[in-house]
Amino acid sequence: MCGIVGYTGDQQAAPILLDGLARLEYRGYDSAGLAVRNGDALAEVVKATGKLYHLADKTDQGHSLPGTCGIGHTRWATHGDPSVVNAHPHVSGNCTGSGSGKVESDVVGVHNGIIENFTELKEKLLRHGYAFYSDTDTEVVVKLVDYYYKKYKIGPVDAITRTMVRVRGSYALALMFRDYPGEIFAARKDSPLIIGTSESASYLASDVPAILKYTRQVYYIDNLQVARVAPGSVKFYDLNGDEVSLPLTEITWDAAAAEKGGFEHFMLKEIHEQPQAVRDTLNSLIHDGQIDLSATGLTEETLQALRQIDIVACGSAWHVGMASQYVIEDLAQIPVRVELASEFRYRSIPLYENTLVIVISQSGETADSLAALRVAKERGAMTLAVVNVVGSTIAREADHVLYTLAGPEIAVATTKAYSAQLAAMDALATQMALVKGTVSREQYGHLLEELAAIPDKIKRILEDKERLQWFSSKIANAHDIFFIGRGLDYAISLEGSLKMKEISYIHSEAYAAGELKHGTISLIEKNTLVIGVLTQSQLFEKTISNMAECKSRGAYLMGVTTNGNFTVEDSVNFTVYIPKTDEHFVSSLAIVPLQLLGYYTSVNRGLDVDKPRNLAKSVTVE
Ligand code: G6P
C-alpha cells in the first residue's frame, strides 16, 4: 500500500511526479504529497488529503512547484489518520501547521511500508531532542536518518545503511538531502521499488506503470540495498556501504496497456482484456501441442514425485487456489491444501518431503504471501510462485516461477490477473495429470483443446454484457446478496461475492450450498438475492434444491449455468448461460458474468469502481 515516486532530470519534476502518482493511486488514495526542489534552493512540500486531484489542484497541476528534482507519495493510512499532517513527505526537522511549505530540514522523505519498532525508535529520538509532529512511522525513520547523518557526520548512503540496520519492518524509502541537490537516495526492504533511467533523467517508483511513459530501462533494487539516484545515473550500495552492480532490465509492457483506452473504467477495460490475458498465458505454456513447464524449471521427475501441494495466497488469488484445489485433485489425484497466507505464516504446518508450496500473487509483493513463501522455504519445502509482475519479490525468492501474462492491472478489483492465474493453474493441473498418469494422452489432448478454446468463449460472454447491465440496475439497492455453489462452483461463488462486495459495498457472502441450512438460511427474507453457480453436472440437482429452499423463504434467484441446462429456468428468476467447456475449466467462464454484475452494480450506485474505499491493490503490510 502507498505508492512512491521520484524524479531527477532536466524537466519540471512536479507534473511528472503527479503523473506517476496517478498511475499508483490504486496503491492508496487517502492523501498525497510532493517535495520538489529547484537547484540548490530549499525543497518545497505540498500535501493534500483525499484523492490525488486535490493535490494536483493545489499545485496547479504541478506548475506552481518549480524544480527538476522531487519525490511524491500517495498514501493508504497505516499509522495515524488520513490527515494532511500525516501525509508524506515527512521532514527531519520541525514542521508547523499542515506541513506544506519550504523545507528548512536536512532530510525529507517518502515511505511505503511499515516500521515495526517505530515506538522504540521514537523514544530514542525524543531522548536526543527530536520532536514529532505526526503519528507516522515514516517521520521516525526520516528523523533517524537525520540523527545518524549528523551524529557521525557521514554521507547519505552511510546514514541510510545505519538506519536500515536499526529499523525492523518493511520499507521503500526515497529521501532528499539538503546538501545534495539534484539527487535522491532510496532504500528498500520487502516493499516494491524500481528505478528507471534515461539519458538525462532518472525515475523511481513503486510500480512499473508510473514510469513506463518515460523509460523502459529499469533496475530492480534488491532487499537491503541503497540507491543514489542522479539525472541519468544510478549507483547501488549494500548494507556495508560497498558499491554493487545491478543489471538493467528492459520492460516490455506496452505503455498503452496502462491507459483506459476508451473504457469508462480500468475495471471494464481489464474485464475485456481477459481473452488476451488468458490466451497469452496459455500460449506461453503450450508449445507444439504440449504443456511445456521448462521456463519454470519444474521437471517431469519433480512433478512425478509430488505427494502434496499447499497453495498459499490472499484475496482473489486465494480463490484461484480454492478452484485449483478441485481441479488438481480431480485431474492429477494429488492432495491439495489451500491456505490463506496470513494464516499459513503463523501455523506450524508440517511440510514433508515432496511437498510443493505454490504461492499465487498478481503483484508478487503481498506481505503475507511473501512471508508465507519464506516460511515454506525455511521449512524446506519446494516453492513455486505464480506471479504477474516480473521481477517482483515473490518471483525472485521462489525456487520456481510461472509468470501469468495479464499485463499491468490497475483497477483495485482484480479481473484479468485472476483469470490469467486460473488459466496458468489449469494448465499446471493438466500437466501434472499427464505426468502422474491419471489422464490418458487422448484425454490430455482433449483438455488442451478445451483450454485453448477458453479465450473465445470469454469473448462470447462479454458480447452479452448488456443483459447483466440491465439486471444489475434491478439489484442495485440490495442489502444482502448470497452466492452459493458446490465444489468448483463454491470457489467461483467466493470470487463472485468478493467482486460484488468490494466495489458495490453491498453486503455479500459466499456459501458452500450444503452449508446454507446450518445457519445462513435464517438470513433469507423476502426478495433477498441468492445467486447460484450451477456448472458442475453432478452437483447441479443438489444446488438447485438448495436454491428452491431459499425461494420458498422468499428469495429472488439468479443462476449461472452452462448452455443447455434450460431446466434451470423452472426454478430461477434470472438465468445467465455460459458456453460449454470441460467442467474442470469452467471457473474462467462462470466468473465473467459475476465480474460484470459487480462492475455494473457499482456503476449504478455511482461509486468509484476502480478505487473502492479502504482498499488498495497491493497490500504490502500485514
Ligand atoms: C488485494 C487486491 C486483491 C488481490 C489481493 C492479493 O486485496 O485488492 O485483488 O487478490 O490483494 O494480491 P496479490 O497481488 O498477492 O495477488
Side-chain angles (χ1 to χ4, degrees):
M1 355 270 279
C2 298
I4 68 171
V5 288
Y7 171 83
T8 178
D10 54 6
Q11 307 288 307
Q12 286 301 301
I16 295 174
L17 296 173
L18 282 171
D19 183 55
L21 288 178
R23 279 151 231 283
L24 294 182
E25 226 190 341
Y26 69 83
R27 301 180 64 84
Y29 30 81
D30 61 41
S31 52
L34 298 175
V36 174
R37 71 185 298 190
N38 206 2
D40 297 348
L42 293 177
E44 189 172 347
V45 167
V46 181
K47 308 180 190 187
T49 51
K51 299 226 166 108
L52 190 65
Y53 67 86
H54 293 291
L55 180 67
D57 287 351
K58 214 167 168 179
T59 57
D60 185 21
Q61 314 306 313
H63 299 302
S64 68
L65 211 51
T68 54
C69 178
I71 52 180
H73 187 266
T74 177
R75 182 166 185 248
W76 188 89
T78 54
H79 294 80
D81 60 3
S83 60
V84 181
V85 84
N86 285 330
H88 301 209
H90 285 290
V91 298
S92 56
N94 293 329
C95 158
T96 47
S98 64
S100 291
K102 295 274 182 212
V103 179
E104 302 283 347
S105 312
D106 284 310
V107 190
V108 52
V110 291
H111 165 224
N112 165 214
I114 285 193
I115 305 300
E116 287 163 8
N117 56 338
F118 87 106
T119 317
E120 163 202 327
L121 296 172
K122 194 169 183 173
E123 278 161 16
K124 168 190 164 86
L125 290 165
L126 283 167
R127 285 198 299 276
H128 286 91
Y130 282 85
F132 290 84
Y133 57 86
S134 77
D135 303 320
T136 64
D137 51 345
T138 305
E139 188 190 348
V140 176
V141 85
V142 170
K143 286 187 156 85
L144 191 63
V145 171
D146 181 73
Y147 169 74
Y148 288 128
Y149 181 62
K150 290 183 177 133
K151 177 172 178 196
Y152 297 108
K153 301 201 176 3
I154 45 180
V157 170
D158 292 328
I160 294 170
T161 54
R162 274 185 186 267
T163 306
M164 290 162 79
V165 172
R166 200 66 179 75
V167 300
R168 283 200 311 275
S170 60
Y171 48 82
L173 274 171
L175 303 164
M176 293 196 297
F177 288 70
R178 187 172 167 167
D179 301 334
Y180 294 79
E183 290 188 278
I184 303 170
F185 294 84
R188 161 173 195 262
K189 179 176 175 276
D190 292 345
S191 292
L193 184 65
I194 52 157
I195 295 172
T197 54
S198 64
E199 219 158 78
S200 55
S202 295
Y203 307 79
L204 179 156
S206 300
D207 199 359
V208 172
I211 61 171
L212 211 50
K213 217 162 116 180
Y214 309 102
T215 182
R216 289 166 177 282
Q217 307 295 321
V218 303
Y219 294 101
Y220 291 101
I221 176 171
D222 248 321
N223 257 349
L224 295 176
Q225 286 185 339
V226 177
R228 180 172 187 164
V229 184
S233 84
V234 190
K235 286 183 175 161
F236 295 95
Y237 303 86
D238 64 16
L239 215 45
N240 298 320
D242 295 330
E243 198 172 333
V244 288
S245 74
L246 291 184
L248 195 58
T249 308
E250 167 139 11
I251 302 283
T252 50
W253 282 359
D254 180 0
E259 307 286 344
K260 271 192 217 154
F263 285 91
E264 202 180 334
H265 298 101
F266 278 113
M267 184 176 177
L268 189 60
K269 175 182 175 243
E270 289 160 4
I271 287 175
H272 280 83
E273 285 171 347
Q274 292 184 110
Q276 194 63 42
V278 171
R279 186 175 294 120
D280 288 350
T281 302
L282 290 174
N283 285 347
S284 74
L285 294 170
I286 303 176
H287 305 134
D288 305 324
Q290 277 273 125
I291 294 171
D292 174 6
L293 297 175
S294 56
T296 68
L298 283 171
T299 62
E300 215 168 291
E301 293 69 47
T302 310
L303 296 185
Q304 181 77 58
L306 285 183
R307 291 286 165 269
Q308 166 81 36
I309 293 175
D310 281 25
I311 303 179
V312 188
C314 302
S316 296
W318 180 72
H319 296 160
V320 172
M322 288 295 284
S324 306
Q325 175 182 36
Y326 296 103
V327 182
I328 297 174
E329 287 188 343
D330 199 55
L331 280 179
Q333 299 291 301
I334 304 170
V336 182
R337 192 160 45 183
V338 188
E339 296 292 331
L340 291 162
S342 53
E343 293 291 317
F344 179 91
R345 63 183 290 190
Y346 295 118
R347 277 176 63 182
S348 359
I349 297 180
L351 296 173
Y352 299 112
E353 222 184 313
N354 296 329
T355 295
L356 176 66
V357 174
I358 306 181
V359 179
I360 307 177
S361 173
Q362 187 284 126
S363 62
E365 301 291 350
T366 301
D368 285 322
S369 303
L370 175 59
L373 172 76
R374 289 177 179 165
V375 166
K377 286 184 79 174
E378 269 162 29
R379 296 207 192 127
M382 180 179 25
T383 54
L384 167 70
V386 177
V387 166
N388 195 44
V389 177
V390 176
S392 55
T393 312
I394 292 175
R396 281 187 285 163
E397 293 195 13
D399 301 318
H400 304 279
V401 189
L402 195 170
Y403 279 114
T404 52
L405 299 185
E409 193 179 60
I410 310 293
V412 168
T414 180
T415 52
K416 64 171 178 168
Y418 166 88
S419 287
Q421 288 164 350
L422 277 178
M425 292 300 290
D426 284 347
L428 188 64
T430 304
Q431 191 61 14
M432 285 174 172
L434 181 75
V435 173
K436 286 278 190 185
T438 49
V439 295
S440 66
R441 269 273 161 196
E442 197 189 340
Q443 286 166 318
Y444 178 75
H446 167 73
L447 290 170
L448 288 194
E449 277 169 25
E450 288 288 73
L451 278 176
I454 285 174
D456 281 339
K457 291 178 182 171
I458 297 178
K459 239 188 205 157
R460 280 184 5 228
I461 300 171
L462 291 172
E463 280 159 14
D464 205 18
K465 61 179 186 283
E466 283 74 19
R467 270 190 89 226
L468 286 150
Q469 187 173 18
W470 166 81
F471 185 68
S472 81
S473 66
K474 286 170 69 92
I475 62 152
N477 293 322
H479 292 295
D480 303 284
I481 303 179
F482 294 95
F483 289 74
I484 62 168
R486 288 170 185 252
L488 205 44
D489 288 338
Y490 169 50
I492 300 165
S493 299
L494 286 166
E495 177 63 6
S497 169
L498 180 62
K499 286 294 89 99
M500 176 59 73
K501 73 181 123 191
E502 67 182 336
I503 52 174
S504 76
Y505 313 153
I506 296 175
H507 166 251
S508 103
E509 295 192 42
Y511 277 93
E515 271 295 296
L516 268 180
K517 46 172 95 64
H518 297 292
T520 316
I521 203 158
S522 67
L523 298 171
I524 304 293
E525 295 176 349
K526 190 166 169 13
N527 291 331
T528 304
L529 178 60
V530 176
I531 300 178
V533 184
L534 303 145
T535 69
Q536 303 294 296
S537 43
Q538 281 195 332
L539 302 166
F540 180 87
E541 293 297 344
K542 295 191 184 302
T543 305
I544 279 282
S545 302
N546 297 130
M547 292 179 79
E549 288 156 12
C550 294
K551 194 172 188 175
S552 57
R553 284 153 183 88
Y556 187 77
L557 302 183
M558 167 177 160
V560 177
T561 192
T562 312
N563 237 333
N565 286 339
F566 301 122
T567 53
V568 168
E569 291 186 25
D570 300 338
S571 326
V572 166
N573 304 90
F574 176 73
T575 312
V576 177
Y577 294 101
I578 55 169
K580 280 203 172 111
T581 182
D582 183 283
E583 286 184 9
H584 295 99
F585 305 145
V586 78
S587 315
S588 300
L589 304 182
I591 194 57
V592 180
L594 302 181
Q595 293 168 339
L596 287 166
L597 192 66
Y599 170 77
Y600 284 121
T601 306
S602 177
V603 172
N604 280 322
R605 289 165 69 92
L607 301 171
D608 190 345
V609 179
D610 286 336
K611 296 186 211 104
R613 69 186 178 204
N614 306 338
L615 296 179
K617 185 157 191 68
S618 183
V619 182
T620 50
V621 295
E622 249 193 87

